[in-house]
Amino acid sequence: LLKDKLHAVPDFAARVDGLITQLGDDDFQTRERAQRDLGAIGADAGPSLRRAAADDPLPEVRQRAAQLL
């Protein structure tokens, strides 16, 4: 009975990394949604955003990560 009620919790770091990757997506709406979602996560996304702002090869990702910080 309990097994049917429990749901897997997605890995937080993987979720944040996925959203950061989407900051460089070809689709504008995808980039905007990812930026909005990362903003909603708040400070918990900070370490990953700092790495992206400093090291990501895509300028779009670096810029959007810096804006979020």
Side-chain angles (χ1 to χ4, degrees), residues 19-25 31 35 38 46-69:
L19 289 169
I20 289 173
T21 298
Q22 289 177 15
L23 291 176
D25 197 271
R31 294 191 307 268
Q35 188 166 355
L38 284 163
S48 296
L49 286 170
R50 279 190 279 287
R51 280 191 299 277
D55 299 331
D56 200 275
L58 296 175
E60 180 80 13
V61 173
R62 290 193 307 267
Q63 178 185 8
R64 286 178 180 265
Q67 287 173 348
L68 284 161
L69 289 169

Side-chain angles (χ1 to χ4, degrees), residues 25-49:
D25 197 271
D26 290 337
D27 180 61
F28 177 76
Q29 294 299 328
T30 299
R31 294 191 307 268
E32 288 290 305
R33 188 176 325 108
Q35 188 166 355
R36 185 178 56 249
D37 290 351
L38 284 163
I41 290 171
D44 291 336
S48 296
L49 286 170

